């Protein structure tokens, strides 16, 4: 201070005295680092008196405001005592902990300063040095308390916000002034460090103030806090079908510290240690984090965006970002704190080196630094764990949202859109694409966090890393293209696999497995080119980014050498530790790039699907406002078409008809006339309708119900009871009546579990008639107003059909409106009205008598039916006697069986998963493929060489840096040579890792595909296709692209960690006493973690299969679900399944954070112990270099350990995919395709004679027999009819003939050759069949008629002519090349059966089996087809299974089967005249119905 007057007043003397006590003029010198000069620069100097006075003044002001806020809060009469209802923000918790620690640190340093002054100077003067620290500590402590207070009144809330805003500016001032001083003096004190750390504390203050004291109308918790507290007033209303525990996660009731340190997870981990975890052991997610809440939020954002954006384009990224920005911002704050605490590492290193060199600032500086380092590392761990926890939670919510959105979209997808998005592709959107996008939030902050870490460590390193990233840009761009290509190729492969797996029975019957396997292999070959490309690019990037911490130091040191900058232990190892700290983040850059690319490609694919056209006609009917509408259905349309293209030919035209309430209307006509399309139009399924469609259920809104029975039976996986109830409440009386009316009582008695028997996917363990009757029962149980029945009686025998029609249609539905599509002319007289269709038009409409009198076409239809039964019916029967005889026959034939007790196993079992500790088994399974052990061993050897080389390089620098015997040039030359040698090791390592991934991927897929095509039908009967699809999509994708690199990188980071331990133990031997118990604790913690985590990962895999299976099943039955109005119920079930999958996934990643946090704290203890030991042990002349080396390893140990454990967790999750795929690689195979020692001759069979001797069949071991000792002979060239009631064993008999199921006993001999002694391919390729369920494949007409491409176009056209398909194919654009969509959905059921007939005629086998092959064909076409078969196959043995008796009337012999037993085998006419004959009874029933 400058004095202007020599005589001062007493007041001035007092002021001077006070100033001297505060600042002490004598200490205002450069020696103490303090200056008393006035002006703005002195305020910026953190050591100046003016700076201290300024800070204390502000602190006093903040203390006053904080006191007032606290006083205001506790003096208020309105005090909220129910604190449990308040949602605690994690940011507030972090703010309290962080700023509390910061205030304690200030107070501790202030007290230490007082103690030090008393010890050294025996006085506490001057006051400013320690007073400023105490004021800082108290002000920060009271601010933390005031900001954390809840339920403040408006003035206090404003004061908190203003105070926190001011505190941010104040902290910016402290941070800038301290950093400027540190840069100028090149030294860092504890006070400067605390001043810098006050900046993130002030950000937390600001965040808490504005987030915690906002308006009550706003969401105080944001997305993240919503996950901690369940929605008030809502209950968990899951209609659970996933056997998941409904206990809400312990996180909901966890305290602050429990949330910070994941203590709330301990009970689950303890349970996992005591027993193997099951699905019901896992608590559910909180409701706000479940898929239902996520989807509702997404839907709100979507609607809002559509309102704002008139163009209609959707920005999915903006919806996701807007929905989760608060949580991402919160996680960003944690990421910033982590980066700031990480960047203190080099500062601590420099301070420790200074202490070792004897440049202590104060006596016990080493101890203070050790405590500071421990606190910094613990804070780094807490912030990073919360950062990752929040982003993982967001990713889980995003994945659940997209999965739900995709499911909802497929429920509304139009027919045209289905052609562009196959079921396999839609499943992959959920299992692959949604998962990839769900990973994106976790990696989002890594971009700037990595850059900031590098930048804060050293600007030179940042520049080098930027250059490396720029250099990798071409690779990144190429990788993006590869990802697009591979996803497209994967879609094609999945589409082909889905089609093959879904129709495996047909492939086996026709011996087409080899051909379809080759088709899939060729698609996989195209996909594999891009897999190799991605693996190679990942290998290049691995070399590029792993070598950067080697290349950058060499370039930097040579630059310093050339510029004449002195290299010493302090600056060299500060630089190296900076690089080592950012080494792992830098190595993550390729992963970040890959995640970004994968997420972008997947988001584009999902967005394209979500923007696909929807069914636009479903709400068309609601335009009518007449609530007293007297008709059930009214249609007036010029055109109805499946194709929305204006130039396309309409499917139906000039449709005009009315159906009154309670009327029964039949729709009949030839194959392909548009009958099913007319029903679909009324149901609102046809996208293009030019006209009006009004139906009763839309007028009556909630009071009108409709029921639909599809032509192709759609059966859910589940019990028979679940299929009949279809979501309705059980009414036992009505249920029993429905079962009786649908003729299901006897079937249920024969099943091992009755109506609780689990049905396989698509009802594979039921006969066609049983499936159709279950569909009818489902419709009847709904007690709807309008019934749409699409040819439901074609798959059942005559008696059952008659019973169903009389009891079901005419009696139970007597007062209901019924639209029935039927080829059974017998039933037509009972209808109020008949619609006769031809060529897509209703050509006639009227009653039966009216049409018979006025319509020639209708007369032809009736005459065709009468002609098929006329001559055969000319047998004299006594009407009454015959009826009585029929009853006797029923009694004789249908022997009452005792119900089979439910002691066996259900056909559909729960999905298998590995349990317990499998050790190295899955890794060895992965490595055994295609020289995997060799490639992995070589990769590890080069990795070891790399790590040892790094150690040698560091030791050379540490030992010789201060040596006078080695010149700088020699030092750097050796250092550089070692570095570039390491880069070569990295290149070789990457090369072998790529070879490992390529070989394993190729071998695993090849083995898996071979296993699937060689698996017996029993495997497909008991395994839902979704389980298989989840393995060949998401699991295989992980094996293709990730497994090899994850395995290599995990081993690498783990070895890096243990080498760091080794270096620390060697350089600071006392640390071994800490390291050894720490390693032991690490092993214990990992065992404790893996006991639960392993099972959680496996449960995640199995529940993912459930999601895929339900989605695939819902796609197949979308029309039925919509017709019953079950979209919401199925959507809810889907969301339950999504949550059942999300819950174990949630606990898996929380368990990861639990483990890593504990290991990080252990690492912090080791590091602190190392640092302290190094300062206390004498290490000789190289002390500074060795401590630099030790701390460079020690400070990066935290990072190495975290990355190592994290990679181990990722690898454990990925290896579950190997386990799951491996389960399906060892399925027992069918008999050999070819037995070289016993191959049939070229012309076999030449006669077609079939001898069946004591044939017994059961479907699986220990199951009851299905066929009981059948013996008969079919002479060559004869026509054999097989008859029996529904479920009697007819289809099983055919399955045994083709060896789909192997005989348990007996023989089947064809032309003197036992079929069980030859290969399956040799057998099936020489037989022909037209199966019960007609199937077409995606492709062309030519491909569907002749998949093996063995015939000319002329031959194909000739066969199409004979099958009555030539005109229909010629009408299509492209002819033989015209498109057939997957499952042949653009062709009618009858036309599909005709296609199957065409295949058989083209093949011209000596033995042909017709398994109810014309069930969906009208009588006229059927008559023509039968004549064609007789003419074309007159020398062949034709075995016909039929429910239409006329079909077998002209057979040479008829075989009758009942309950799996042969009851008769004779000529048709003899059987008809035989008393008690089953065939005679069936003929009589058919004749009675027809008459």
């Amino acid at each position: 201070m400058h004095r202007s007057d020599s005589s001062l007043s007493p007041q001035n003397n007092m002021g001077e005295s006070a100033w001297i006590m505060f600042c002490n003029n004598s200490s205002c010198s450069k020696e103490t680092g303090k200056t008393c000069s006035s002006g703005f620069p002195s305020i910026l100097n953190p050591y100046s008196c003016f700076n201290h006075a300024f800070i204390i003044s502000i602190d006093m002001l903040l203390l006053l405001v904080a006191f007032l806020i606290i006083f205001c809060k506790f003096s208020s009469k309105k005090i909220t005592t129910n604190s449990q209802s308040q949602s605690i923000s994690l940011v507030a918790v972090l703010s309290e902990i962080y700023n509390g620690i910061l205030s304690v640190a200030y107070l501790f340093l202030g007290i230490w300063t007082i103690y030090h002054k008393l010890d050294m100077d025996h006085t506490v003067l001057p006051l400013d040095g320690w007073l400023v620290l105490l004021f800082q500590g108290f002000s920060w402590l009271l601010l933390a308390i005031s900001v954390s207070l809840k339920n403040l009144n408006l003035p206090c809330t404003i004061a908190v916000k203003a105070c926190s805003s001011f505190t941010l500016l104040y902290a910016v001032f402290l941070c800038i002034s301290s950093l400027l001083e540190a840069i100028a003096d090149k030294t860092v004190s504890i006070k400067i460090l605390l001043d810098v750390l006050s900046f993130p504390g002030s950000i937390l203050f600001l965040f808490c103030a504005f987030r915690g004291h906002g308006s009550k109308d706003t969401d105080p918790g944001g997305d993240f806090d919503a996950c901690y507290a369940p929605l008030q007033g809502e209950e968990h209303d899951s209609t659970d079908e996933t056997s998941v525990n409904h206990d809400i996660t312990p996180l909901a009731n966890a305290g602050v510290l429990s949330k910070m340190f994941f203590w709330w997870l301990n009970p689950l981990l303890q349970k996992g240690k005591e027993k193997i975890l099951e699905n019901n052991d896992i608590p559910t997610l909180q409701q706000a984090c479940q898929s239902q809440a996520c989807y509702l939020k997404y839907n709100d954002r979507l609607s809002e965006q559509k309102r704002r954006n008139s163009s209609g384009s959707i920005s999915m990224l903006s919806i996701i970002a807007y929905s989760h920005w608060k949580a991402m911002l919160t996680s960003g704050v944690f990421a910033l704190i982590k980066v700031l605490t990480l960047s203190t590492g080099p500062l601590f290193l420099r301070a420790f080196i200074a202490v070792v060199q004897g440049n202590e600032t104060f006596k016990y500086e080493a101890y203070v630094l050790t405590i500071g380092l421990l606190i910094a590392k613990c804070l780094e761990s807490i912030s990073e764990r919360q950062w990752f926890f929040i982003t993982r939670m967001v990713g889980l919510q995003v994945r659940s949202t997209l999965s739900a959105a995709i499911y909802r979209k497929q429920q509304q997808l139009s027919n045209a859109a289905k052609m562009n998005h196959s079921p396999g592709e839609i499943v992959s959107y959920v299992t692959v694409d949604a998962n990839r996008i769900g990973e994106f939030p976790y990696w989002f902050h890594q971009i700037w966090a990595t850059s900031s870490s590098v930048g804060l460590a050293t600007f030179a390193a940042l520049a080098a890393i930027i250059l490396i990233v720029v250099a990798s840009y071409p690779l990144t761009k190429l990788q993006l293209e590869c990802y697009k290509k591979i996803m497209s190729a994967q879609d094609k492969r999945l589409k082909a696999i889905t089609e093959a797996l879904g129709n495996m029975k047909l492939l086996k019957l026709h011996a087409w497995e080899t051909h379809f396997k080759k088709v899939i292999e060729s698609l996989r070959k195209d996909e594999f080119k891009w897999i190799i490309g991605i693996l190679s690019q990942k290998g290049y990037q691995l070399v590029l980014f792993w070598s950067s911490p080697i290349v950058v130091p060499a370039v930097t040191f040579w630059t310093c050498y050339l510029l004449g900058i002195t290299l010493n232990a302090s600056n060299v190892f500060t630089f190296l530790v900076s690089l080592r700290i950012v080494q792992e983040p830098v190595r993550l850059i390729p992963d970040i790039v890959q995640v970004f690319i994968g997420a972008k490609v997947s988001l584009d694919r999902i967005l394209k699907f979500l923007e696909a056209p929807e069914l636009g006609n479903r709400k068309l009917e609601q335009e009518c406002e007449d609530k007293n509408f007297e008709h059930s259905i009214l249609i007036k349309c010029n055109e109805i078409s499946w194709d929305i293209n204006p130039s396309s030919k309409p499917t139906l035209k000039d449709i005009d008809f009315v159906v009154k309430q309670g009327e029964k209307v039949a729709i009949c006509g030839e194959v392909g006339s548009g009958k099913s399309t007319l029903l679909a139009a009324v149901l609102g399924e046809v996208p293009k309708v030019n006209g009006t469609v009004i139906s009763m259920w839309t007028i009556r809104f909630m009071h009108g119900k409709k029921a639909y029975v599809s032509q192709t039976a759609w059966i859910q996986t589940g019990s028979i009871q679940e299929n009949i109830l279809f979501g309705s409440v059980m009414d036992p009386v009505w249920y029993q009546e429905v079962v009786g009316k649908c003729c299901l009582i006897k079937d249920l008695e024969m099943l091992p579990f009755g109506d609780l028997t689990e049905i396989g996917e698509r009802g594979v363990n039921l006969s066609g008639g049983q499936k159709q009757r279950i569909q009818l029962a489902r419709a009847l149980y709904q007690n709807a107003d309008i019934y749409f029945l699409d040819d439901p009686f074609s798959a059942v025998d005559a008696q059952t059909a008659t019973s169903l029609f009389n009891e079901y249609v005419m009696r139970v539905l007597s007062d209901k409106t019924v639209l029935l599509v039927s080829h059974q002319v017998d039933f037509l007289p009972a209808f109020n009205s008949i619609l006769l269709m031809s060529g897509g038009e209703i050509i006639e409409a009227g009653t039966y008598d009216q049409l018979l009198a006025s319509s020639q076409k209708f007369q032809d239809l009736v005459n065709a039916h009468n002609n098929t039964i006329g001559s055969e019916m000319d047998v004299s029967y006594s009407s009454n006697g015959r009826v009585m005889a029929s009853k006797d026959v029923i009694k004789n034939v249908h022997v009452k069986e005792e119900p089979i007790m439910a002691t066996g196993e259900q056909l559909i079992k729960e999905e298998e998963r590995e349990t317990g500790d499998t050790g190295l088994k899955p890794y060895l399974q992965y490595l055994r493929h295609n020289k995997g052990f060799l490639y992995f061993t070589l990769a590890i050897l080069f990795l070891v060489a790399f790590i040892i080389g790094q150690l040698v390089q560091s030791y050379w620098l540490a030992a010789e840096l201060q040596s006078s015997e080695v010149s700088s040039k020699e030092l750097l030359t050796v250092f550089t040579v070692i570095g570039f040698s390491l880069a070569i090791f990295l290149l070789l390592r990457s090369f072998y890792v790529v070879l490992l991934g390529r070989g394993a991927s190729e071998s695993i897929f090849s083995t898996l595909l071979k296993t699937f095509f060689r698996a017996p039908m029993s495997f497909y009967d008991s395994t839902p296709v979704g389980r298989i699809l989840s393995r060949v999509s998401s699991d295989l994708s992980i094996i293709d692209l990730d497994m090899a690199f994850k395995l290599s990188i995990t081993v690498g980071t783990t070895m890096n960690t243990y080498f760091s331990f080794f270096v620390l133990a060697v350089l600071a031997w006392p640390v071994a006493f800490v390291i050894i118990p720490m390693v032991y604790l690490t092993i214990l913690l990992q065992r404790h973690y893996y006991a639960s985590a392993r099972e959680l990962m496996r449960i995640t895999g199995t529940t993912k299969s459930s999601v895929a299976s339900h989605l695939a099943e819902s796609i197949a039955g979308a029309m039925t679900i919509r017709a019953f109005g079950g979209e919401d119920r199925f959507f809810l079930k889907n969301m339950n399944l999504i949550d059942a999958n999300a819950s174990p996934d949630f606990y898996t990643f929380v368990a990861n954070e639990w483990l890593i946090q504990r290991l990080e704290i252990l690492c912090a203890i080791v590091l602190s112990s190392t640092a302290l030991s190094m300062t206390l042990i004498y290490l000789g002349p190289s002390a500074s270099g060795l401590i630099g080396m030790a701390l460079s390893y020690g400070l990066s140990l935290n990072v190495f350990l975290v990355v190592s454990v994290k990679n181990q967790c990722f690898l454990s999750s990925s290896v579950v995919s190997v386990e799951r795929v491996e389960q399906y690689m060892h399925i027992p195979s069918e008999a050999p395709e070819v037995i070289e020692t016993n191959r049939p001759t070229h012309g076999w069979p030449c006669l077609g004679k079939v001898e069946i001797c004591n044939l017994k069949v059961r479907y699986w071991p220990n199951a009851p027999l299905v066929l009981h000792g059948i013996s008969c002979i079919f002479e060559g060239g004869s026509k054999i009819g097989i008859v029996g009631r529904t479920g009697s064993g007819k289809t099983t008999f055919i399955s045994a003939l083709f060896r789909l199921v192997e005989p348990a006993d007996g023989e089947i001999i064809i032309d003197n050759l036992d079929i069980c002694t030859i290969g399956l391919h040799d057998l099936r390729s020489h037989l022909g069949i037209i199966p019960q369920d007609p199937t077409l494949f995606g492709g062309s007409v030519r491909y569907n008629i002749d998949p093996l491409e063995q015939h000319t176009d002329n031959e194909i056209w000739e066969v199409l002519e004979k099958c009555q398909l030539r005109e229909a194919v010629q009408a299509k654009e492209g002819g033989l090349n015209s498109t057939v969509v997957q499952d042949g959905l653009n062709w009618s059921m009858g036309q599909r059966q005709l296609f199957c007939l065409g295949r058989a005629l083209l093949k011209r086998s000596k033995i042909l089996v017709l398994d109810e092959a014309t069930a969906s064909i009208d009588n006229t076409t059927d008559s023509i087809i039968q004549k064609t078969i007789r003419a074309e196959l007159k020398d062949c043995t034709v075995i016909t299974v039929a429910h239409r008796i006329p079909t077998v009337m002209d057979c040479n012999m008829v075989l009758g089967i009942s309950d799996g037993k042969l009851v008769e085998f004779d000529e048709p006419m003899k059987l008809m005249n035989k008393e008690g004959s089953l065939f005679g009874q069936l003929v009589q029933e058919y004749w009675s119905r027809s008459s």
Side-chain angles (χ1 to χ4, degrees), residues 199-431:
F199 175 63
S202 67
I203 294 176
L204 289 172
F205 277 151
L206 189 72
F207 206 88
C208 290
F210 281 87
R211 190 177 181 184
H213 302 287
S215 170
K216 291 182 181 179
D217 295 332
T218 62
D219 177 17
D223 297 330
F224 179 61
D225 290 325
C227 300
Y228 283 111
L231 293 178
Q232 305 242 342
E234 294 188 20
E235 297 179 358
H236 188 65
D237 58 347
S238 170
T239 57
D240 181 38
E241 299 179 41
T242 59
S243 67
V244 175
N245 187 8
H246 291 292
D247 293 335
I248 296 296
T249 171
L251 178 63
N253 301 314
V256 174
L257 291 177
S258 180
K259 290 175 182 176
M260 295 300 294
F261 294 99
F262 303 105
W263 293 335
W264 57 268
L265 190 66
N266 289 342
L268 182 63
L269 295 179
Q270 185 61 35
K271 184 184 286 186
K273 187 179 180 183
E274 294 169 357
K275 56 166 282 196
I276 293 174
L277 290 178
E278 300 294 341
N279 290 44
N280 55 8
D281 293 320
I282 303 171
T284 59
L285 294 171
Q286 291 171 307
Q287 193 155 1
C289 297
Q290 291 175 2
S291 56
Q292 189 170 1
C294 294
Y295 179 75
L296 290 173
K297 184 187 291 185
Y298 158 81
N299 223 20
D300 291 341
R301 304 296 186 204
L302 181 64
S303 302
E304 186 179 341
Q305 191 177 97
K306 285 180 177 178
R307 283 197 303 271
R308 291 178 178 178
N309 190 354
S310 56
S311 64
S313 60
I314 302 170
S315 173
M316 182 62 68
L317 188 61
S318 67
I319 292 174
I320 293 172
Y322 191 64
S323 298
H324 301 283
W325 70 269
K326 291 180 182 178
M328 293 306 293
L329 184 60
T330 305
S331 62
V333 172
F334 284 116
L336 177 64
I337 295 170
K338 188 263 179 183
V339 169
L340 290 174
T341 51
L342 181 67
S343 63
T344 61
L347 301 177
F348 277 111
L349 173 67
R350 176 172 286 186
F352 274 112
I353 290 176
V355 170
V356 171
Q357 291 174 340
N359 300 324
E360 284 182 297
T361 307
F362 51 91
K363 185 177 180 180
Y364 298 107
E365 185 179 3
Y367 295 99
V368 175
L369 286 173
T370 301
I371 294 171
L373 181 60
L374 181 63
I375 291 171
K377 285 298 172 185
C378 289
L379 184 59
E380 178 189 331
S381 173
I382 292 170
S383 58
E384 186 174 38
R385 301 286 60 80
Q386 294 302 324
W387 161 21
F388 288 164
F389 172 73
I390 297 171
T391 51
R392 281 286 188 195
M393 176 65 78
V394 171
L396 193 73
Q397 291 176 328
V398 169
R399 190 184 77 191
S400 296
T401 301
L402 291 175
S403 299
I406 291 166
Y407 186 90
R408 195 59 159 175
K409 181 68 179 185
Q410 68 80 22
Q411 289 185 321
Q412 304 159 349
L413 210 59
S414 71
N415 188 65
K418 283 183 179 179
M419 295 184 184
N420 299 322
H421 302 278
S422 69
E425 287 176 314
I426 297 172
V427 170
S428 75
Y429 295 150
V430 171
T431 57

Side-chain angles (χ1 to χ4, degrees), residues 1089-1285:
Y1089 157 80
Y1090 276 119
S1092 301
R1094 195 181 292 110
E1095 300 308 319
L1096 288 169
M1097 293 171 195
R1098 289 166 179 161
I1099 293 171
T1100 302
T1102 55
T1103 51
K1104 187 194 298 180
S1105 295
S1106 300
V1107 174
S1109 296
H1110 183 250
L1111 175 58
E1113 192 173 69
S1114 300
I1115 294 169
M1119 186 170 173
T1120 300
I1121 294 168
R1122 285 193 292 264
F1124 282 92
E1127 298 101 316
D1128 291 341
R1129 182 173 64 85
F1130 272 77
F1131 184 43
L1132 182 61
K1133 180 181 177 182
N1134 175 256
M1135 289 193 290
N1136 291 337
L1137 290 170
I1138 291 170
D1139 291 336
N1141 177 236
S1143 292
D1145 196 23
F1146 168 75
Y1147 289 104
T1148 301
F1149 69 69
V1150 175
N1152 292 350
E1153 305 306 330
W1154 179 93
L1155 174 66
I1156 292 171
Q1157 187 177 66
R1158 277 141 189 79
L1159 295 183
E1160 280 182 326
I1161 292 172
L1162 288 177
C1163 276
I1165 294 170
V1166 171
L1167 174 59
S1168 304
S1169 305
T1170 303
L1172 186 61
S1173 300
M1174 296 290 287
T1175 57
L1176 300 178
I1177 301 171
Y1178 178 71
L1179 298 173
S1182 301
S1184 58
L1186 292 176
I1187 192 173
M1189 176 183 171
L1191 289 183
S1192 69
Y1193 274 89
L1195 285 167
S1196 56
L1197 177 63
N1198 224 24
V1199 177
F1200 282 159
L1201 185 68
V1202 170
V1203 173
S1204 170
V1205 175
K1206 195 187 302 178
N1207 283 323
Q1208 287 175 36
C1209 296
F1210 288 159
L1211 181 63
S1212 298
S1213 178
S1214 297
V1215 86
V1216 170
S1217 295
V1218 177
E1219 284 182 348
R1220 284 164 52 76
V1221 168
E1222 193 73 25
Q1223 287 171 346
Y1224 284 178
M1225 290 172 67
H1226 303 287
I1227 303 165
S1229 296
E1230 286 185 306
E1233 289 184 299
V1234 174
I1235 299 175
E1236 294 295 343
T1237 57
N1238 192 25
R1239 300 202 66 177
T1241 58
H1242 178 69
W1244 180 87
C1246 55
L1247 297 176
K1249 182 179 180 181
V1250 182
E1251 300 172 66
I1252 299 167
C1253 308
N1254 193 32
L1255 178 64
K1256 297 179 181 179
V1257 172
R1258 56 169 52 95
Y1259 275 108
W1260 55 88
N1262 303 320
L1265 288 171
V1266 182
L1267 296 182
H1268 303 263
I1270 292 178
S1271 297
C1272 56
I1273 297 174
F1274 303 158
E1275 295 295 339
S1278 62
K1279 306 298 181 283
I1280 308 296
I1282 300 178
V1283 298
R1285 303 197 183 280

